[in-house]
Amino acid sequence: MNSAGLSEHAMPAAVARFFAASRAGDARAWAAAFAADGAFHHPVGQPPVRGREAIEALIVRAIAGFGRFDGLQAVETHRSDPHVAVSWRGAGVSPTGGAVVWSGITGFELDDAGLIANARVYGDLATVAAQLSAR
C-alpha cells in the first residue's frame, strides 16, 4: 500500500505510538514502540542504538536537555508496508526559555509483529543543540 498524507490514526500502530509517546514525554512508551532488539539510528550516520533499554536511555537523555519537551508532530506519512516514512516537526523550550523548533524525516521498518525494527532519523541535531544552548 502506498499512501501520502496519512493521518496519524492511519499509521501503523507502533509508529503512531512512537509519535504519541514523544508528545507525552514518555520515554518508556516511546521505546516500547520498538521491537525488543530494535535499532534507532539517531541520526543516520551515527551507530544505531539497539534494544529497548538503550533506546529508552537515549530518549531520556535527549528530553533532559530541554526546559520543556513538546514532542514530535507528524506532518506527512508515506507507507509501503513494511516501510513507513514520516516527515515531522518537533517543538519544545530551551532551559533558558527560548523556543526550540526543528523538523526531520524518520524512516521506519516494521517487523512481522508490527513493531519498529529500525528507525532512521534524518534531521539536523546541531540546530537543535544550538537552540538548546542559546542564551
Side-chain angles (χ1 to χ4, degrees):
M1 172 179 152
N2 290 317
S3 300
L6 292 175
S7 74
E8 200 162 304
H9 301 290
M11 288 179 179
V15 176
R17 286 194 310 271
F18 176 98
F19 285 97
S22 80
R23 290 190 304 279
D26 186 341
R28 176 160 288 150
W30 200 342
F34 285 82
D37 61 348
F40 197 14
H41 305 256
H42 187 272
V44 166
Q46 296 295 316
V49 174
R50 294 189 184 278
R52 284 190 192 128
E53 286 183 22
I55 292 168
E56 181 179 346
L58 170 72
I59 294 166
V60 166
R61 285 191 308 274
I63 291 173
F66 286 78
R68 186 184 79 228
F69 183 77
D70 297 331
L72 307 174
Q73 183 65 49
V75 175
E76 190 170 42
T77 301
H78 301 272
R79 183 173 174 176
S80 182
D81 290 337
H83 302 275
V84 181
V86 180
S87 64
W88 48 263
R89 291 193 177 109
V93 175
S94 74
T96 59
V100 180
V101 294
W102 70 104
S103 62
I105 296 171
T106 301
F108 298 94
E109 179 181 352
L110 305 179
D111 68 9
D112 291 339
L115 296 172
I116 299 168
N118 283 288
R120 291 173 174 85
V121 177
Y122 297 84
D124 182 2
L125 295 183
T127 297
V128 176
Q131 291 178 70
L132 287 172
S133 65
R135 302 260 175 223

